Amino acid sequence: MAYDPAYEITTKALHPDPLAYQPGPARAVMLPQEIPPGVQLVTLPGGQRALAYVQPPAHTPPPTSTAAQPVPAWAKTTALLAPTIGFGIAAGGIGLSYAAPGLIAMSHALWAAGALIAAAVIGVPALISGARRKVAAPTQITQNITATGLFGRANGTINHH
């Protein structure tokens, strides 16, 4: 839907005599040099004159020359490394796909080795302690220590039964 403005605001050129814009003796008029930049005296559709902010004319930037610029070294290096890295990843994927059956078998073997080590860590000490208990009774050690006086020398005997 097209937008049609209800009113058209037009700009009017300033008169060389600033006193000509004075509507009556009761109102003061700004001199042209007092009007700030970006503000103009405009005539509204009803014939009234007022100060208004206006858009500066859209200026187009001067055409720039599009001279060929050299390609930076980092861009060349990245462009050369991209296929190399891509082919390396592809070769690694293909190698893993060929090695998958062997890797699966190796993981099963590692799980089995881990289970064997865990069983050995728990089972061997249990077997050794069980074998010791059946062979010999525990040794009983008694110790007798005697001393005479406050600063006397202590004498003792140790008996293995």
Side-chain angles (χ1 to χ4, degrees):
M1 180 167 103
Y3 176 76
D4 296 328
Y7 298 105
E8 182 178 318
I9 299 176
T10 59
T11 59
K12 185 175 182 181
L14 294 176
H15 195 274
D17 183 17
L19 297 176
Y21 288 109
Q22 194 169 14
R27 299 180 88 182
V29 174
M30 289 181 71
L31 296 174
Q33 56 269 33
E34 293 176 342
I35 297 175
V39 176
Q40 286 185 357
L41 185 65
V42 295
T43 303
L44 300 175
Q48 298 171 333
R49 286 183 243 147
L51 292 174
Y53 288 103
V54 293
Q55 295 287 338
H59 57 84
T60 58
T64 58
S65 63
T66 56
Q69 297 178 352
V71 177
W74 64 266
K76 289 180 185 177
T77 305
T78 304
L80 291 173
L81 283 178
T84 306
I85 293 170
F87 286 132
I89 291 171
I94 292 169
L96 282 176
S97 70
Y98 282 125
L103 291 175
I104 291 170
M106 197 180 310
S107 70
H108 288 305
L110 285 174
W111 277 110
L116 181 66
I117 290 171
V121 167
I122 294 171
V124 170
L127 288 173
I128 291 174
S129 67
R132 281 187 178 174
R133 286 185 197 147
K134 292 179 184 177
V135 173
T139 304
Q140 185 177 6
I141 300 173
T142 58
Q143 187 175 19
N144 296 323
I145 299 174
T146 58
T148 57
L150 182 62
F151 296 107
R153 187 173 182 165
N155 293 320
T157 58
I158 296 175
N159 298 319
H160 296 275
H161 295 283

